Each structure stands twice: as C-alpha cells, then as structure tokens.
PDB file of all heavy atoms in Angstrom:
ATOM      1  N   LEU A 134     -15.490  12.628 -28.543  1.00 91.00           N
ATOM      2  CA  LEU A 134     -14.243  13.109 -27.909  1.00 91.00           C
ATOM      3  C   LEU A 134     -13.451  13.831 -29.012  1.00 91.00           C
ATOM      4  O   LEU A 134     -13.091  13.198 -30.010  1.00 91.00           O
ATOM      5  CB  LEU A 134     -13.402  11.967 -27.380  1.00 91.00           C
ATOM      6  CG  LEU A 134     -14.059  11.089 -26.297  1.00 91.00           C
ATOM      7  CD1 LEU A 134     -14.877   9.973 -26.931  1.00 91.00           C
ATOM      8  CD2 LEU A 134     -13.009  10.567 -25.397  1.00 91.00           C
ATOM      9  N   ASP A 135     -13.229  15.108 -28.828  1.00 90.00           N
ATOM     10  CA  ASP A 135     -12.490  15.909 -29.835  1.00 90.00           C
ATOM     11  C   ASP A 135     -11.120  16.287 -29.323  1.00 90.00           C
ATOM     12  O   ASP A 135     -10.977  16.690 -28.158  1.00 90.00           O
ATOM     13  CB  ASP A 135     -13.251  17.182 -30.131  1.00 90.00           C
ATOM     14  CG  ASP A 135     -14.382  17.002 -31.087  1.00 90.00           C
ATOM     15  OD1 ASP A 135     -14.145  16.416 -32.168  1.00 90.00           O
ATOM     16  OD2 ASP A 135     -15.521  17.399 -30.784  1.00 90.00           O
ATOM     17  N   ASP A 136     -10.144  16.115 -30.186  1.00 85.00           N
ATOM     18  CA  ASP A 136      -8.816  16.604 -29.907  1.00 85.00           C
ATOM     19  C   ASP A 136      -8.351  17.207 -31.204  1.00 85.00           C
ATOM     20  O   ASP A 136      -8.990  17.080 -32.230  1.00 85.00           O
ATOM     21  CB  ASP A 136      -7.882  15.436 -29.473  1.00 85.00           C
ATOM     22  CG  ASP A 136      -6.731  15.895 -28.584  1.00 85.00           C
ATOM     23  OD1 ASP A 136      -6.383  17.098 -28.626  1.00 85.00           O
ATOM     24  OD2 ASP A 136      -6.192  15.046 -27.853  1.00 85.00           O
ATOM     25  N   LYS A 137      -7.205  17.883 -31.170  1.00 84.00           N
ATOM     26  CA  LYS A 137      -6.768  18.561 -32.372  1.00 84.00           C
ATOM     27  C   LYS A 137      -6.342  17.609 -33.471  1.00 84.00           C
ATOM     28  O   LYS A 137      -6.343  17.949 -34.634  1.00 84.00           O
ATOM     29  CB  LYS A 137      -5.664  19.593 -32.094  1.00 84.00           C
ATOM     30  CG  LYS A 137      -4.380  18.973 -31.609  1.00 84.00           C
ATOM     31  CD  LYS A 137      -3.365  20.117 -31.334  1.00 84.00           C
ATOM     32  CE  LYS A 137      -2.023  19.589 -30.938  1.00 84.00           C
ATOM     33  NZ  LYS A 137      -1.102  20.640 -30.634  1.00 84.00           N
ATOM     34  N   HIS A 138      -6.049  16.366 -33.119  1.00 89.00           N
ATOM     35  CA  HIS A 138      -5.534  15.399 -34.118  1.00 89.00           C
ATOM     36  C   HIS A 138      -6.623  14.408 -34.600  1.00 89.00           C
ATOM     37  O   HIS A 138      -6.467  13.832 -35.668  1.00 89.00           O
ATOM     38  CB  HIS A 138      -4.346  14.635 -33.534  1.00 89.00           C
ATOM     39  CG  HIS A 138      -4.645  13.768 -32.384  1.00 89.00           C
ATOM     40  ND1 HIS A 138      -5.181  14.267 -31.218  1.00 89.00           N
ATOM     41  CD2 HIS A 138      -4.521  12.442 -32.210  1.00 89.00           C
ATOM     42  CE1 HIS A 138      -5.360  13.269 -30.344  1.00 89.00           C
ATOM     43  NE2 HIS A 138      -4.980  12.142 -30.943  1.00 89.00           N
ATOM     44  N   LEU A 139      -7.685  14.233 -33.809  1.00 92.00           N
ATOM     45  CA  LEU A 139      -8.734  13.311 -34.254  1.00 92.00           C
ATOM     46  C   LEU A 139     -10.038  13.542 -33.525  1.00 92.00           C
ATOM     47  O   LEU A 139     -10.058  14.266 -32.504  1.00 92.00           O
ATOM     48  CB  LEU A 139      -8.312  11.832 -34.098  1.00 92.00           C
ATOM     49  CG  LEU A 139      -7.909  11.289 -32.726  1.00 92.00           C
ATOM     50  CD1 LEU A 139      -9.077  11.047 -31.763  1.00 92.00           C
ATOM     51  CD2 LEU A 139      -7.099   9.999 -32.897  1.00 92.00           C
ATOM     52  N   ARG A 140     -11.079  13.006 -34.025  1.00 95.00           N
ATOM     53  CA  ARG A 140     -12.374  12.997 -33.365  1.00 95.00           C
ATOM     54  C   ARG A 140     -12.767  11.545 -33.230  1.00 95.00           C
ATOM     55  O   ARG A 140     -12.726  10.805 -34.213  1.00 95.00           O
ATOM     56  CB  ARG A 140     -13.414  13.766 -34.197  1.00 95.00           C
ATOM     57  CG  ARG A 140     -14.870  13.605 -33.628  1.00 95.00           C
ATOM     58  CD  ARG A 140     -15.855  14.416 -34.392  1.00 95.00           C
ATOM     59  NE  ARG A 140     -15.573  15.840 -34.042  1.00 95.00           N
ATOM     60  CZ  ARG A 140     -15.752  16.847 -34.898  1.00 95.00           C
ATOM     61  NH1 ARG A 140     -16.194  16.635 -36.118  1.00 95.00           N
ATOM     62  NH2 ARG A 140     -15.495  18.070 -34.524  1.00 95.00           N
ATOM     63  N   ALA A 141     -13.165  11.165 -32.021  1.00 95.00           N
ATOM     64  CA  ALA A 141     -13.581   9.780 -31.806  1.00 95.00           C
ATOM     65  C   ALA A 141     -15.013   9.749 -31.253  1.00 95.00           C
ATOM     66  O   ALA A 141     -15.401  10.663 -30.508  1.00 95.00           O
ATOM     67  CB  ALA A 141     -12.648   9.087 -30.824  1.00 95.00           C
ATOM     68  N   TYR A 142     -15.733   8.726 -31.662  1.00 96.00           N
ATOM     69  CA  TYR A 142     -17.065   8.475 -31.123  1.00 96.00           C
ATOM     70  C   TYR A 142     -17.036   7.119 -30.432  1.00 96.00           C
ATOM     71  O   TYR A 142     -16.540   6.150 -30.992  1.00 96.00           O
ATOM     72  CB  TYR A 142     -18.108   8.449 -32.241  1.00 96.00           C
ATOM     73  CG  TYR A 142     -18.240   9.747 -32.961  1.00 96.00           C
ATOM     74  CD1 TYR A 142     -17.522  10.010 -34.120  1.00 96.00           C
ATOM     75  CD2 TYR A 142     -19.140  10.729 -32.503  1.00 96.00           C
ATOM     76  CE1 TYR A 142     -17.654  11.191 -34.798  1.00 96.00           C
ATOM     77  CE2 TYR A 142     -19.254  11.934 -33.197  1.00 96.00           C
ATOM     78  CZ  TYR A 142     -18.516  12.159 -34.315  1.00 96.00           C
ATOM     79  OH  TYR A 142     -18.657  13.361 -34.988  1.00 96.00           O
ATOM     80  N   ILE A 143     -17.564   7.090 -29.213  1.00 95.00           N
ATOM     81  CA  ILE A 143     -17.687   5.863 -28.485  1.00 95.00           C
ATOM     82  C   ILE A 143     -19.157   5.732 -28.122  1.00 95.00           C
ATOM     83  O   ILE A 143     -19.775   6.618 -27.530  1.00 95.00           O
ATOM     84  CB  ILE A 143     -16.807   5.837 -27.208  1.00 95.00           C
ATOM     85  CG1 ILE A 143     -15.353   6.009 -27.606  1.00 95.00           C
ATOM     86  CG2 ILE A 143     -17.014   4.549 -26.424  1.00 95.00           C
ATOM     87  CD1 ILE A 143     -14.420   6.318 -26.473  1.00 95.00           C
ATOM     88  N   SER A 144     -19.748   4.569 -28.492  1.00 97.00           N
ATOM     89  CA  SER A 144     -21.135   4.369 -28.290  1.00 97.00           C
ATOM     90  C   SER A 144     -21.384   3.065 -27.574  1.00 97.00           C
ATOM     91  O   SER A 144     -20.680   2.095 -27.757  1.00 97.00           O
ATOM     92  CB  SER A 144     -21.840   4.324 -29.641  1.00 97.00           C
ATOM     93  OG  SER A 144     -23.150   3.856 -29.526  1.00 97.00           O
ATOM     94  N   VAL A 145     -22.437   3.079 -26.739  1.00 97.00           N
ATOM     95  CA  VAL A 145     -22.927   1.811 -26.174  1.00 97.00           C
ATOM     96  C   VAL A 145     -24.385   1.739 -26.621  1.00 97.00           C
ATOM     97  O   VAL A 145     -25.151   2.661 -26.476  1.00 97.00           O
ATOM     98  CB  VAL A 145     -22.800   1.779 -24.634  1.00 97.00           C
ATOM     99  CG1 VAL A 145     -23.544   0.576 -24.090  1.00 97.00           C
ATOM    100  CG2 VAL A 145     -21.365   1.790 -24.193  1.00 97.00           C
ATOM    101  N   TYR A 146     -24.698   0.588 -27.188  1.00 98.00           N
ATOM    102  CA  TYR A 146     -26.019   0.303 -27.747  1.00 98.00           C
ATOM    103  C   TYR A 146     -26.470  -1.016 -27.099  1.00 98.00           C
ATOM    104  O   TYR A 146     -25.747  -2.001 -27.063  1.00 98.00           O
ATOM    105  CB  TYR A 146     -25.872   0.132 -29.274  1.00 98.00           C
ATOM    106  CG  TYR A 146     -27.081  -0.329 -30.006  1.00 98.00           C
ATOM    107  CD1 TYR A 146     -27.960   0.627 -30.529  1.00 98.00           C
ATOM    108  CD2 TYR A 146     -27.371  -1.651 -30.201  1.00 98.00           C
ATOM    109  CE1 TYR A 146     -29.100   0.226 -31.256  1.00 98.00           C
ATOM    110  CE2 TYR A 146     -28.479  -2.055 -30.921  1.00 98.00           C
ATOM    111  CZ  TYR A 146     -29.353  -1.123 -31.406  1.00 98.00           C
ATOM    112  OH  TYR A 146     -30.454  -1.516 -32.118  1.00 98.00           O
ATOM    113  N   VAL A 147     -27.693  -0.985 -26.540  1.00 97.00           N
ATOM    114  CA  VAL A 147     -28.161  -2.174 -25.810  1.00 97.00           C
ATOM    115  C   VAL A 147     -29.518  -2.636 -26.384  1.00 97.00           C
ATOM    116  O   VAL A 147     -30.451  -1.822 -26.514  1.00 97.00           O
ATOM    117  CB  VAL A 147     -28.341  -1.875 -24.308  1.00 97.00           C
ATOM    118  CG1 VAL A 147     -28.896  -3.103 -23.557  1.00 97.00           C
ATOM    119  CG2 VAL A 147     -27.005  -1.443 -23.688  1.00 97.00           C
ATOM    120  N   GLU A 148     -29.589  -3.879 -26.725  1.00 96.00           N
ATOM    121  CA  GLU A 148     -30.830  -4.536 -27.185  1.00 96.00           C
ATOM    122  C   GLU A 148     -31.271  -5.497 -26.132  1.00 96.00           C
ATOM    123  O   GLU A 148     -30.444  -6.183 -25.526  1.00 96.00           O
ATOM    124  CB  GLU A 148     -30.625  -5.333 -28.482  1.00 96.00           C
ATOM    125  CG  GLU A 148     -30.255  -4.496 -29.681  1.00 96.00           C
ATOM    126  CD  GLU A 148     -29.927  -5.380 -30.886  1.00 96.00           C
ATOM    127  OE1 GLU A 148     -29.608  -6.571 -30.730  1.00 96.00           O
ATOM    128  OE2 GLU A 148     -30.051  -4.840 -32.005  1.00 96.00           O
ATOM    129  N   SER A 149     -32.581  -5.611 -25.905  1.00 92.00           N
ATOM    130  CA  SER A 149     -33.111  -6.570 -24.945  1.00 92.00           C
ATOM    131  C   SER A 149     -34.183  -7.375 -25.670  1.00 92.00           C
ATOM    132  O   SER A 149     -35.095  -6.818 -26.282  1.00 92.00           O
ATOM    133  CB  SER A 149     -33.709  -5.895 -23.736  1.00 92.00           C
ATOM    134  OG  SER A 149     -34.304  -6.828 -22.879  1.00 92.00           O
ATOM    135  N   SER A 150     -34.059  -8.721 -25.583  1.00 84.00           N
ATOM    136  CA  SER A 150     -35.017  -9.564 -26.286  1.00 84.00           C
ATOM    137  C   SER A 150     -36.275  -9.862 -25.422  1.00 84.00           C
ATOM    138  O   SER A 150     -37.367  -9.979 -25.933  1.00 84.00           O
ATOM    139  CB  SER A 150     -34.367 -10.845 -26.723  1.00 84.00           C
ATOM    140  OG  SER A 150     -33.854 -11.551 -25.628  1.00 84.00           O
ATOM    141  N   ASP A 151     -36.123  -9.987 -24.123  1.00 85.00           N
ATOM    142  CA  ASP A 151     -37.279 -10.323 -23.285  1.00 85.00           C
ATOM    143  C   ASP A 151     -37.225  -9.572 -21.937  1.00 85.00           C
ATOM    144  O   ASP A 151     -37.919  -9.994 -21.033  1.00 85.00           O
ATOM    145  CB  ASP A 151     -37.361 -11.808 -23.073  1.00 85.00           C
ATOM    146  CG  ASP A 151     -36.180 -12.379 -22.287  1.00 85.00           C
ATOM    147  OD1 ASP A 151     -35.336 -11.590 -21.833  1.00 85.00           O
ATOM    148  OD2 ASP A 151     -36.121 -13.589 -22.097  1.00 85.00           O
ATOM    149  N   GLY A 152     -36.444  -8.564 -21.823  1.00 77.00           N
ATOM    150  CA  GLY A 152     -36.320  -7.827 -20.580  1.00 77.00           C
ATOM    151  C   GLY A 152     -35.298  -8.414 -19.592  1.00 77.00           C
ATOM    152  O   GLY A 152     -34.981  -7.758 -18.613  1.00 77.00           O
ATOM    153  N   HIS A 153     -34.759  -9.588 -19.907  1.00 89.00           N
ATOM    154  CA  HIS A 153     -33.722 -10.177 -19.058  1.00 89.00           C
ATOM    155  C   HIS A 153     -32.498 -10.615 -19.857  1.00 89.00           C
ATOM    156  O   HIS A 153     -31.456 -10.833 -19.279  1.00 89.00           O
ATOM    157  CB  HIS A 153     -34.299 -11.397 -18.296  1.00 89.00           C
ATOM    158  CG  HIS A 153     -35.426 -11.058 -17.387  1.00 89.00           C
ATOM    159  ND1 HIS A 153     -35.271 -10.322 -16.236  1.00 89.00           N
ATOM    160  CD2 HIS A 153     -36.746 -11.308 -17.479  1.00 89.00           C
ATOM    161  CE1 HIS A 153     -36.427 -10.141 -15.658  1.00 89.00           C
ATOM    162  NE2 HIS A 153     -37.356 -10.740 -16.398  1.00 89.00           N
ATOM    163  N   ARG A 154     -32.662 -10.782 -21.144  1.00 94.00           N
ATOM    164  CA  ARG A 154     -31.538 -11.201 -22.020  1.00 94.00           C
ATOM    165  C   ARG A 154     -31.109  -9.959 -22.813  1.00 94.00           C
ATOM    166  O   ARG A 154     -31.952  -9.324 -23.487  1.00 94.00           O
ATOM    167  CB  ARG A 154     -31.952 -12.302 -22.959  1.00 94.00           C
ATOM    168  CG  ARG A 154     -32.337 -13.582 -22.211  1.00 94.00           C
ATOM    169  CD  ARG A 154     -32.898 -14.599 -23.153  1.00 94.00           C
ATOM    170  NE  ARG A 154     -31.906 -14.886 -24.202  1.00 94.00           N
ATOM    171  CZ  ARG A 154     -31.196 -16.003 -24.245  1.00 94.00           C
ATOM    172  NH1 ARG A 154     -31.367 -16.943 -23.406  1.00 94.00           N
ATOM    173  NH2 ARG A 154     -30.328 -16.176 -25.240  1.00 94.00           N
ATOM    174  N   TYR A 155     -29.823  -9.655 -22.751  1.00 96.00           N
ATOM    175  CA  TYR A 155     -29.305  -8.443 -23.397  1.00 96.00           C
ATOM    176  C   TYR A 155     -28.158  -8.721 -24.354  1.00 96.00           C
ATOM    177  O   TYR A 155     -27.378  -9.671 -24.145  1.00 96.00           O
ATOM    178  CB  TYR A 155     -28.769  -7.494 -22.305  1.00 96.00           C
ATOM    179  CG  TYR A 155     -29.833  -6.956 -21.381  1.00 96.00           C
ATOM    180  CD1 TYR A 155     -30.145  -7.647 -20.200  1.00 96.00           C
ATOM    181  CD2 TYR A 155     -30.499  -5.801 -21.690  1.00 96.00           C
ATOM    182  CE1 TYR A 155     -31.146  -7.132 -19.352  1.00 96.00           C
ATOM    183  CE2 TYR A 155     -31.498  -5.298 -20.855  1.00 96.00           C
ATOM    184  CZ  TYR A 155     -31.804  -5.978 -19.680  1.00 96.00           C
ATOM    185  OH  TYR A 155     -32.783  -5.506 -18.849  1.00 96.00           O
ATOM    186  N   SER A 156     -28.082  -7.919 -25.377  1.00 96.00           N
ATOM    187  CA  SER A 156     -26.936  -7.851 -26.255  1.00 96.00           C
ATOM    188  C   SER A 156     -26.469  -6.384 -26.164  1.00 96.00           C
ATOM    189  O   SER A 156     -27.196  -5.464 -26.544  1.00 96.00           O
ATOM    190  CB  SER A 156     -27.315  -8.161 -27.712  1.00 96.00           C
ATOM    191  OG  SER A 156     -27.709  -9.503 -27.808  1.00 96.00           O
ATOM    192  N   ALA A 157     -25.277  -6.212 -25.575  1.00 97.00           N
ATOM    193  CA  ALA A 157     -24.726  -4.857 -25.434  1.00 97.00           C
ATOM    194  C   ALA A 157     -23.563  -4.719 -26.418  1.00 97.00           C
ATOM    195  O   ALA A 157     -22.724  -5.626 -26.528  1.00 97.00           O
ATOM    196  CB  ALA A 157     -24.282  -4.626 -24.009  1.00 97.00           C
ATOM    197  N   PHE A 158     -23.505  -3.590 -27.107  1.00 98.00           N
ATOM    198  CA  PHE A 158     -22.487  -3.315 -28.095  1.00 98.00           C
ATOM    199  C   PHE A 158     -21.670  -2.093 -27.644  1.00 98.00           C
ATOM    200  O   PHE A 158     -22.249  -1.134 -27.198  1.00 98.00           O
ATOM    201  CB  PHE A 158     -23.108  -2.997 -29.470  1.00 98.00           C
ATOM    202  CG  PHE A 158     -23.903  -4.069 -30.077  1.00 98.00           C
ATOM    203  CD1 PHE A 158     -25.195  -4.352 -29.624  1.00 98.00           C
ATOM    204  CD2 PHE A 158     -23.363  -4.858 -31.101  1.00 98.00           C
ATOM    205  CE1 PHE A 158     -25.948  -5.383 -30.196  1.00 98.00           C
ATOM    206  CE2 PHE A 158     -24.108  -5.890 -31.679  1.00 98.00           C
ATOM    207  CZ  PHE A 158     -25.393  -6.132 -31.208  1.00 98.00           C
ATOM    208  N   VAL A 159     -20.339  -2.160 -27.823  1.00 98.00           N
ATOM    209  CA  VAL A 159     -19.495  -0.990 -27.701  1.00 98.00           C
ATOM    210  C   VAL A 159     -18.949  -0.721 -29.098  1.00 98.00           C
ATOM    211  O   VAL A 159     -18.387  -1.622 -29.728  1.00 98.00           O
ATOM    212  CB  VAL A 159     -18.335  -1.222 -26.724  1.00 98.00           C
ATOM    213  CG1 VAL A 159     -17.377  -0.044 -26.755  1.00 98.00           C
ATOM    214  CG2 VAL A 159     -18.872  -1.410 -25.311  1.00 98.00           C
ATOM    215  N   ILE A 160     -19.200   0.503 -29.564  1.00 98.00           N
ATOM    216  CA  ILE A 160     -18.837   0.854 -30.930  1.00 98.00           C
ATOM    217  C   ILE A 160     -17.830   2.027 -30.894  1.00 98.00           C
ATOM    218  O   ILE A 160     -18.025   2.969 -30.141  1.00 98.00           O
ATOM    219  CB  ILE A 160     -20.113   1.293 -31.720  1.00 98.00           C
ATOM    220  CG1 ILE A 160     -21.148   0.190 -31.701  1.00 98.00           C
ATOM    221  CG2 ILE A 160     -19.769   1.726 -33.130  1.00 98.00           C
ATOM    222  CD1 ILE A 160     -22.550   0.654 -32.028  1.00 98.00           C
ATOM    223  N   THR A 161     -16.791   1.950 -31.694  1.00 97.00           N
ATOM    224  CA  THR A 161     -15.791   2.995 -31.789  1.00 97.00           C
ATOM    225  C   THR A 161     -15.703   3.445 -33.224  1.00 97.00           C
ATOM    226  O   THR A 161     -15.606   2.620 -34.139  1.00 97.00           O
ATOM    227  CB  THR A 161     -14.419   2.515 -31.358  1.00 97.00           C
ATOM    228  OG1 THR A 161     -14.507   1.969 -30.031  1.00 97.00           O
ATOM    229  CG2 THR A 161     -13.372   3.616 -31.389  1.00 97.00           C
ATOM    230  N   LEU A 162     -15.736   4.768 -33.454  1.00 98.00           N
ATOM    231  CA  LEU A 162     -15.482   5.343 -34.806  1.00 98.00           C
ATOM    232  C   LEU A 162     -14.444   6.457 -34.594  1.00 98.00           C
ATOM    233  O   LEU A 162     -14.474   7.178 -33.606  1.00 98.00           O
ATOM    234  CB  LEU A 162     -16.754   5.953 -35.380  1.00 98.00           C
ATOM    235  CG  LEU A 162     -17.823   4.982 -35.808  1.00 98.00           C
ATOM    236  CD1 LEU A 162     -18.814   4.772 -34.677  1.00 98.00           C
ATOM    237  CD2 LEU A 162     -18.535   5.519 -37.004  1.00 98.00           C
ATOM    238  N   VAL A 163     -13.550   6.571 -35.553  1.00 97.00           N
ATOM    239  CA  VAL A 163     -12.483   7.556 -35.477  1.00 97.00           C
ATOM    240  C   VAL A 163     -12.360   8.299 -36.802  1.00 97.00           C
ATOM    241  O   VAL A 163     -12.325   7.675 -37.873  1.00 97.00           O
ATOM    242  CB  VAL A 163     -11.097   6.905 -35.109  1.00 97.00           C
ATOM    243  CG1 VAL A 163     -10.002   7.965 -34.980  1.00 97.00           C
ATOM    244  CG2 VAL A 163     -11.221   6.098 -33.830  1.00 97.00           C
ATOM    245  N   GLN A 164     -12.268   9.626 -36.704  1.00 97.00           N
ATOM    246  CA  GLN A 164     -12.015  10.471 -37.887  1.00 97.00           C
ATOM    247  C   GLN A 164     -10.684  11.202 -37.592  1.00 97.00           C
ATOM    248  O   GLN A 164     -10.511  11.853 -36.615  1.00 97.00           O
ATOM    249  CB  GLN A 164     -13.128  11.516 -38.043  1.00 97.00           C
ATOM    250  CG  GLN A 164     -14.463  10.928 -38.248  1.00 97.00           C
ATOM    251  CD  GLN A 164     -15.578  11.961 -38.139  1.00 97.00           C
ATOM    252  OE1 GLN A 164     -15.410  13.045 -37.571  1.00 97.00           O
ATOM    253  NE2 GLN A 164     -16.757  11.614 -38.598  1.00 97.00           N
ATOM    254  N   PHE A 165      -9.723  11.000 -38.493  1.00 96.00           N
ATOM    255  CA  PHE A 165      -8.431  11.668 -38.359  1.00 96.00           C
ATOM    256  C   PHE A 165      -8.508  13.075 -38.916  1.00 96.00           C
ATOM    257  O   PHE A 165      -9.045  13.256 -40.022  1.00 96.00           O
ATOM    258  CB  PHE A 165      -7.313  10.893 -39.083  1.00 96.00           C
ATOM    259  CG  PHE A 165      -7.237   9.442 -38.701  1.00 96.00           C
ATOM    260  CD1 PHE A 165      -7.294   8.423 -39.633  1.00 96.00           C
ATOM    261  CD2 PHE A 165      -7.138   9.063 -37.359  1.00 96.00           C
ATOM    262  CE1 PHE A 165      -7.219   7.110 -39.297  1.00 96.00           C
ATOM    263  CE2 PHE A 165      -7.086   7.737 -36.981  1.00 96.00           C
ATOM    264  CZ  PHE A 165      -7.122   6.761 -37.941  1.00 96.00           C
TER     265      PHE A 165
END
C-alpha cells in the first residue's frame, strides 16, 4: 500500500503441518 507519506506491506503467511492444522501469520512492515 503506497501513499505519499509511507509505504506499508501487509502479508498473510500460512503453514500447514498435516493438512488440517494451520499456523497463519499476519505481518505488517512500514517504511516512512
């Protein structure tokens, strides 16, 4: 997401251990 004051990254990362158990991550990074 770009704006004139900052750039932000929003990510969703999903790991599955056996096809039924999940670890989902939401990651935010910001550059001013």
Side-chain angles (χ1 to χ4, degrees):
L134 300 88
D135 280 307
D136 208 337
K137 66 182 183 181
H138 66 301
L139 58 76
R140 172 175 289 147
Y142 296 93
I143 300 167
S144 169
V145 172
Y146 174 91
V147 178
E148 296 175 336
S149 175
S150 59
D151 65 4
H153 299 291
R154 297 173 58 107
Y155 294 91
S156 294
F158 297 78
V159 172
I160 303 162
T161 304
L162 290 92
V163 181
Q164 299 168 344
F165 306 127

